Amino acid sequence: MILSIESSCDDSSIAITEIESKKVIFHKKISQEAEHSFYGGVVPELASRLHAVALPQILQETKPYFKHLKAIAVTNQPGLGVTLLEGIAMAKTLSVFLDIPLIPVHHLKGHIYSLFIEKEPVLPLLVLLISGGHTQIIRVERFEHMEILATSMDDSVGESFDKCAKMMGLGYPGGPLIEALAKQGDENRFELPVPLRNSALIAFSLSGLKNAVRLQVAALGGVEGMSEQDCADLAACFQKTVKLHLLQKSKKIFATEPIKDVAIVGGASANLYLRNAYENLCHTFGKTLHVAPLEYCSDNAAMIGRYAIEAYKNQLFVDPNTLDIVSTKKQHSQMLL
Ligand code: KG4
Ligand code: ZN
């Protein structure tokens, strides 16, 4: 079995996965949404202190499995430095104490492998990754052979939901709040600009749309001046515009990529409105859409464990003395690989 740890942002999570059967034997996650909601976003220092309490609490429950462990896996990039370090410190200690190998896991590769939890990989695959930190389309040929085909030039999809929710006074995380509110809204009431609509660039951009939402909130008299219906209509229009942007750029890639299997992963892939739209697009192009179960869309240690099974088989181990977080600068230049 492999014990995996995830602490790249505001979820403390540990999983135990059986290597041969790929079965998730244990999985627990403690989220910090309530604590960060007041601030409208994640406060790194607070997040790291909450991990320091939650991770040992979860670890206690995994003690019966210690004798079966063959490796420890941990997210080491990308993410918030101070929260990654909480998971890394625990992973190093376990690796040294139990004298078993340590596997560093790239968080985004974990999101991709969330598709294969308790399953065999479906490869090659085109993946739309929409999370709180990233928006990318990635071609995955096989294990460790991945290429980014499109990426966001500024904000990510999840982040834009969070920021728009904050501007509308809704709380954090904004994704589920906006999705729920949009169901009562008129998605045609406000005309918001579809990002990069007239650009040949195969890339994403969400910051202009965010600004358009800010201007619309102001035009409606600010949060205090907005009725519940105004909020629902704006949420629906924003969500529709994100959808149009994702579809427009994906179409360009689908038109030239012969790969038949497509997937959406990451926290924002839990959005059923976006999922349905993507499913229809795949259908039009004769492609098959794969998604992870809803419980494994947002950050979790089971996806880290699933990737770690492949890494274990390929002996991608690291010395506990040298494992560190990857600096933010390098994270951005490398993004995925
Ligand atoms: O993958 P994730 O858990 O963390 C990162 O790796 O960043 O993604 C979290 C993001 C948040 O920005 C959250 O608002 C967004 O996913 N999210 C959603 C939905 N559920 C979560 N965005 C849109 N619609 C949703 N239903
Ligand atoms: Zn994530």
Side-chain angles (χ1 to χ4, degrees):
M1 294 178 191
I2 295 179
L3 182 147
S4 53
I5 305 172
E6 160 61 38
S7 68
S8 65
C9 192
D10 60 342
D11 295 296
S12 316
S13 180
I14 298 181
I16 308 269
T17 312
E18 216 167 55
I19 297 169
E20 277 317 313
S21 68
K22 304 178 181 65
K23 258 187 91 63
V24 179
I25 305 292
F26 171 95
H27 178 232
K28 189 158 181 181
K29 158 163 144 172
I30 298 180
S31 297
Q32 312 171 352
E33 287 164 359
E35 288 86 347
H36 296 291
S37 184
F38 173 76
Y39 304 100
V42 177
V43 182
E45 166 77 16
L46 174 61
S48 124
R49 278 170 24 217
L50 292 168
H51 283 304
V53 176
L55 285 175
Q57 242 175 44
I58 306 175
L59 189 68
Q60 288 279 356
E61 297 181 39
T62 65
K63 273 164 114 180
Y65 305 104
F66 276 19
K67 54 183 174 296
H68 302 293
L69 295 181
K70 294 278 181 253
I72 304 294
V74 63
T75 307
N76 76 321
Q77 62 161 320
L80 300 170
V82 287
T83 65
L84 286 167
L85 280 172
E86 292 293 335
I88 289 177
M90 176 174 273
K92 283 183 178 193
T93 309
L94 287 168
S95 161
V96 170
F97 179 70
L98 298 171
D99 197 18
I100 51 176
L102 183 59
I103 301 172
V105 180
H106 192 295
H107 181 79
L108 303 186
K109 294 177 186 174
H111 273 302
I112 295 172
Y113 274 74
S114 68
L115 295 163
F116 312 139
I117 289 173
E118 303 196 338
K119 282 188 194 155
E120 287 303 323
V122 177
L123 296 172
L125 189 66
L126 288 175
V127 180
L128 173 68
L129 187 152
I130 42 177
S131 70
H134 297 81
T135 295
Q136 301 181 333
I137 295 183
I138 303 152
R139 186 202 294 117
V140 186
E141 293 287 351
R142 56 187 193 279
F143 179 65
E144 286 297 282
H145 285 76
M146 306 182 185
E147 189 186 346
I148 297 169
L149 304 179
T151 194
S152 175
M153 304 190 298
D154 40 61
D155 293 353
S156 69
V157 166
E159 191 180 5
S160 72
F161 272 81
D162 294 338
K163 288 184 177 162
C164 289
K166 189 176 177 184
M167 288 187 275
M168 289 192 256
L170 300 178
Y172 172 86
L177 297 169
I178 290 200
E179 184 184 7
L181 198 56
K183 289 194 181 112
Q184 273 85 54
D186 170 5
E187 65 173 24
N188 296 314
R189 177 167 163 202
F190 307 108
E191 202 164 318
L192 300 172
V194 178
L196 304 175
R197 183 174 23 199
N198 299 317
S199 162
L201 271 180
I202 302 187
F204 300 106
S205 169
L206 279 307
S207 66
L209 174 58
K210 175 183 70 185
N211 199 41
V213 170
R214 187 181 63 79
L215 294 174
Q216 194 56 65
V217 169
L220 290 164
V223 174
E224 296 77 25
M226 286 172 77
S227 67
E228 267 182 38
Q229 194 57 51
D230 289 339
C231 273
D233 292 346
L234 190 51
C237 293
F238 161 74
Q239 187 176 248
K240 180 183 102 176
T241 312
V242 172
K243 172 192 80 177
L244 293 176
H245 179 39
L246 293 176
L247 294 186
Q248 194 202 5
K249 296 303 171 185
S250 300
K251 267 183 202 168
K252 295 199 179 211
I253 291 181
F254 284 11
T256 57
E257 281 288 341
I259 294 175
K260 286 270 175 257
D261 290 293
V262 173
I264 328 183
V265 300
S269 74
N271 185 304
L272 298 181
Y273 175 87
L274 295 179
R275 268 190 186 201
N276 289 340
Y278 223 67
E279 179 131 43
N280 292 338
L281 181 75
C282 286
H283 191 251
T284 312
F285 279 83
K287 298 189 187 290
T288 307
L289 183 68
H290 302 262
V291 287
L294 283 178
E295 66 172 315
Y296 297 131
C297 287
S298 58
D299 292 349
N300 66 85
M303 68 186 196
I304 303 303
R306 180 63 188 88
Y307 171 88
I309 292 177
E310 308 295 325
Y312 181 81
K313 290 180 178 161
N314 285 277
Q315 303 209 347
L316 297 182
F317 306 140
V318 67
D319 182 342
N321 291 319
T322 58
L323 180 63
D324 199 354
I325 57 166
V326 175
S327 78
T328 314
K329 209 168 157 202
K330 203 165 166 210
Q331 282 178 25
H332 284 290
S333 66
Q334 289 193 333
M335 291 305 247
L336 191 67
L337 294 174

